[in-house]
Amino acid sequence: MQFIHWTFGLPRIRQVAVYVVAPALFALLALVIAIPVSSRTAYADHNSMYVVCPDPILEGNTGKMGIRRSGHKIKRATFFTDNRYHTADSDDYEEYHGVKIESNSSGGDSTLWAPIVTKEDSVPEHDETFAMGFWDGGEWHHCVVEIEDDDAPEITVVDISSKPVNTMFYRAAESIDITVDLDQKVEVDGTPMVSLYIGTGDDSTGGAAKYTSGSGSRSLVFRYRVQPEDRDTDGISVSSASVADDRSPATGFSGNIYAEGTDVPINYSHPGVSGPWNQSVDGRPYVQSARIISLPPDGWEAYRANQVIEVAMTFDTDVVVEGDVSVELYLGSNGHNPEESSRWASYLRGSGTDRLVFGYTVRPGDMDDKGIMVALGIDSHGFGGSGTIKAKGTDVERHPNYLGMGHQPAHKVDTYAPAVTSLGITSRPANGEAYAAGEVISVEATFNEMIQFQGDFHMELDVGGVPRQAAFETILKRGLRSVLVFHYAVQQGDTDSDGVGIGANSLKLNGGGVYDKAGNSAGLSHSTLAADSTQKVDTSSAD
C-alpha cells in the first residue's frame, strides 16, 4: 500500500493539496485533510483530475469549489464535508454528507462548481477551517476551506483626546493621550502600544503611546510622555495600523487586545489621525514660573544697597547650567526706560534640578518705589550670559520664551538715606506781637520720605540767646514725606526781642535711630533757621 501526497503551487497564488489515499489507509484521511490551504486559488492536477479551491470565504458568504477532468466535462459529483482536526463546526458552514451536485455550466466551461456555504454568527472567533471534497475512482480529492471571521472587535474611532496645558504646545513631561474606541468590549493583555509621529516632514520621529486604561470597556487610552527632545510645529500624528495574516498587528500597534472573554484579537487596522496645529509639541526646557523668592531683610519694606534680590526660575524638567548665565530684571522701570532700568541677576544655585535661583546685589543709587519686575522672556530679552541651560542628560537647550512679572509691590528698592529738607516755626503769637508765658511755639522738620524712629527726639531752639528744648509731639504724613512736629511752652522769664531762631543741626535724637522703609539711617543735619521778627517772646507783662 502507498500513501502519496502532491502539493502544487504558483507564485503569490493559493496552493492546492491533492491527496491519493489507498482504501486501507482511510483511517489516516482525517489527519491529511486537516492541513489548511493558504494563499490564492490555483489548479491541481492528478491523473487528469483538476481541483479548484477557493480563497478564504468571509463568514456568512458563499464560495465555490471546482472540479474538472482533462478532455471532458464532469456532470455530477458527490461531496462531503469534514471538520475532524479542524477548528470549524456545523454552526459555521453547511454540511454535505453525500450531497450530489450537478453541473449547470454551458459553453466552453467544463468545470463543475460546488457551492461552499458558510454561516453568519455574532461570536468573535479565529479564522476557522474545514475540509470539503469528493471521491473519484477510489481517490479522495478535497480543499481545506478557510472561513474569515467578521465579528472581531473593530476600531471605530482613534482620537487625540488630550490638550496641551497652555492650549498650544505640549511641554516636556506632559502627557499626550490617544483614545481608541471599538465597537464591542475588549480585554488588554500586557501593555500594548500605539505608534505616534512627532515632528514635521522628514524630521518626524517615531514614538509609542503605552496602554493606560480601559480594559473591559469599549474605549482604551494610550499615553505618551513628552521628552525634551520632542518638537512638532504642525501637530502630532497617530500612525495608521495594519494587520498581519495571523491577525497580529503588522504596523501601528504592538501588544495584544482581545474581544472580551476570548482570545480573539481585535482588528487592529485604522487609517491613523493627524492632530491640528494646537496639538503641537515643544519639549525644550520651559520656564513655568518666575518668582522673586527673597524678602527685604529684617522686616523692612524695601531692599537697600548691597542686599541680594533672589529670583527663582522653575522649569518643567530638570536642567543643568554650564557657564555664565543670568536673568534680566527691571528696576525702577517707568514703562519708558527699559534699557536704563535693566539689571542682571547672576546664577546662584539649582543646577541638576527643575528650579534655578539667580541673584542681583542692589547697588547704591538703585530706586524702585513700585517694585522690581522680571523681564519677559523672548529671543532678545530674558536670559543672558555666554553659558547654557540644557535639559538634564541631553543637549537640548532651554526655550527662550517665558512669562515675566510686572511690578512687585512687596519687592521695592530704596538705597537713599532720608534727609531733612525743610525746617520752620509754624505757630504765631496770640497777640500778633510776642509770645507770652504759657504759649506754645510749634516747629516742623520735614524729611524727603517716610521715616520711622526709635529714641527720644527733640529740637533745640534759640530763645533770646538761651537754648530751649522743644519736645517731640507727633509725626505727620504729607504725601510721601514725614513731618516731625515739636512743641515748646514759653516759660516765665523768656524774652527774645528779635525773634526765635534755630541753629544748624539742632535736631537731636537721644538713643535709637531714624530709618526709612528700607532701613536706611536718616541724616539729621540741617541748616540754620535765622531769627524771625514775627516770632518774638515777651513774658514781662505777667509780672
Side-chain angles (χ1 to χ4, degrees), residues 287 290 311 313 315 324-330 338-339 342-347 358 373-385 389 398-405:
V287 175
V311 180
M313 311 295 279
F315 290 78
D324 175 32
V325 180
S326 55
V327 168
E328 189 175 17
L329 309 178
Y330 292 139
E339 296 300 327
S342 179
R343 302 288 190 273
W344 292 95
S346 301
Y347 166 73
F358 299 79
M373 305 168 64
V374 178
L376 176 71
I378 54 177
D379 287 334
S380 57
H381 291 283
F383 284 108
I389 300 174
R398 57 159 179 84
H399 197 291
N401 300 341
Y402 60 85
L403 293 177
M405 299 175 65

Side-chain angles (χ1 to χ4, degrees), residues 33 63 80 108 129 131 143 200 208 242 269 308 360 377 386 437 502 531 540:
I33 66 176
F80 301 85
T129 60
C143 293
T200 304
S242 61
S269 61
V308 178
Y360 171 71
S386 59
I502 302 175
S540 61

Side-chain angles (χ1 to χ4, degrees), residues 162-177 223-227 230 280-283 286 288 316:
S162 57
K163 299 292 183 184
V165 172
N166 72 350
T167 73
M168 293 181 62
F169 291 90
Y170 290 100
R171 303 295 186 188
E174 283 188 50
S175 294
I176 300 173
D177 285 351
R223 179 165 293 167
Y224 175 78
R225 185 175 291 272
V226 175
Q227 302 300 308
D230 294 335
S280 300
V281 177
D282 193 332
Y286 184 78
Q288 292 181 313
D316 55 9

Side-chain angles (χ1 to χ4, degrees), residues 3 31 163 170 189 261 282 304 341 354 383 402 449 499:
F3 172 72
L31 177 61
K163 299 292 183 184
Y170 290 100
D189 181 18
D282 193 332
R304 58 183 184 266
S341 64
D354 64 353
F383 284 108
Y402 60 85
E449 59 179 303

Side-chain angles (χ1 to χ4, degrees), residues 151-165:
D151 297 309
E154 298 280 343
I155 294 173
T156 57
V157 176
V158 176
D159 184 37
I160 303 172
S161 53
S162 57
K163 299 292 183 184
V165 172

Side-chain angles (χ1 to χ4, degrees), residues 283-528:
R284 291 178 292 177
Y286 184 78
V287 175
Q288 292 181 313
S289 67
R291 295 287 183 271
I292 300 172
I293 60 173
S294 59
L295 287 172
D298 303 322
W300 296 107
E301 296 180 21
Y303 299 90
R304 58 183 184 266
N306 301 316
Q307 293 179 342
V308 178
I309 300 170
E310 291 192 351
V311 180
M313 311 295 279
T314 302
F315 290 78
D316 55 9
T317 188
D318 291 345
V319 292
V320 173
V321 176
E322 294 181 359
D324 175 32
V325 180
S326 55
V327 168
E328 189 175 17
L329 309 178
Y330 292 139
L331 194 154
S333 174
N334 58 18
H336 303 287
N337 63 338
E339 296 300 327
E340 294 84 351
S341 64
S342 179
R343 302 288 190 273
W344 292 95
S346 301
Y347 166 73
L348 296 179
R349 60 185 182 274
S351 183
T353 72
D354 64 353
R355 187 172 182 261
L356 303 182
V357 178
F358 299 79
Y360 171 71
T361 302
V362 177
R363 303 190 301 236
D366 286 343
M367 288 293 292
D368 197 321
D369 285 333
K370 295 181 179 179
I372 60 179
M373 305 168 64
V374 178
L376 176 71
I378 54 177
D379 287 334
S380 57
H381 291 283
F383 284 108
S386 59
T388 61
I389 300 174
K390 297 180 180 180
K392 187 176 181 179
T394 76
D395 286 326
V396 180
E397 293 203 36
R398 57 159 179 84
H399 197 291
N401 300 341
Y402 60 85
L403 293 177
M405 299 175 65
H407 291 289
Q408 301 297 299
H411 300 282
K412 298 174 182 178
V413 176
D414 184 351
T415 63
Y416 290 97
V420 178
T421 57
S422 65
L423 193 66
I425 300 174
T426 60
S427 59
R428 291 290 183 270
N431 62 9
E433 295 293 333
Y435 292 99
E439 288 189 57
V440 174
I441 301 173
S442 294
V443 180
E444 291 185 357
T446 302
F447 285 79
N448 61 353
E449 59 179 303
M450 299 298 297
I451 63 166
Q452 52 186 298
F453 69 90
Q454 297 172 336
D456 181 18
F457 244 137
H458 69 271
M459 174 69 71
E460 191 169 282
L461 308 181
D462 179 357
V463 181
V466 178
R468 296 288 190 237
Q469 287 189 2
F472 172 76
E473 180 67 22
T474 188
I475 184 168
L476 303 176
K477 178 181 179 182
R478 289 182 183 160
L480 298 177
R481 298 182 177 187
S482 288
V483 178
L484 273 62
V485 180
F486 299 86
H487 286 173
Y488 171 69
V490 175
Q491 302 174 31
Q492 185 65 38
D494 287 345
T495 183
D496 195 321
S497 59
D498 60 355
V500 176
I502 302 175
N505 305 324
S506 294
L507 185 59
K508 306 296 184 180
L509 181 65
N510 181 21
V514 181
Y515 309 98
D516 64 10
K517 60 188 177 185
N520 295 302
S521 295
L524 302 182
S525 62
H526 61 82
S527 58
T528 299

Side-chain angles (χ1 to χ4, degrees), residues 85-215:
Y85 305 103
H86 289 268
T87 56
D89 58 31
S90 58
D91 292 331
D92 298 310
Y93 62 91
E94 185 175 301
E95 295 185 276
Y96 290 167
H97 299 289
V99 177
K100 292 182 179 181
I101 297 176
E102 297 189 6
S103 174
N104 58 3
S105 62
S106 60
D109 187 359
S110 59
T111 304
L112 183 152
W113 295 100
I116 303 174
V117 181
T118 66
K119 298 178 181 180
E120 180 70 69
D121 61 30
S122 60
V123 179
E125 299 170 319
H126 293 279
D127 292 346
E128 299 182 286
T129 60
F130 68 96
M132 179 168 167
F134 62 94
W135 288 94
D136 180 73
E139 296 178 351
W140 171 249
H141 307 271
H142 80 285
C143 293
V144 174
V145 181
E146 182 177 353
I147 304 174
E148 287 188 347
D149 180 67
D150 60 2
D151 297 309
E154 298 280 343
I155 294 173
T156 57
V157 176
V158 176
D159 184 37
I160 303 172
S161 53
S162 57
K163 299 292 183 184
V165 172
N166 72 350
T167 73
M168 293 181 62
F169 291 90
Y170 290 100
R171 303 295 186 188
E174 283 188 50
S175 294
I176 300 173
D177 285 351
I178 310 301
T179 300
V180 178
D181 293 336
L182 300 104
D183 61 0
Q184 55 184 288
K185 292 182 178 181
V186 295
E187 293 178 352
V188 174
D189 181 18
T191 309
M193 291 183 284
V194 172
S195 298
L196 303 178
Y197 287 112
I198 299 175
T200 304
D202 294 338
D203 293 329
S204 294
T205 57
K210 295 182 179 181
Y211 164 75
T212 300
S213 62
S215 184

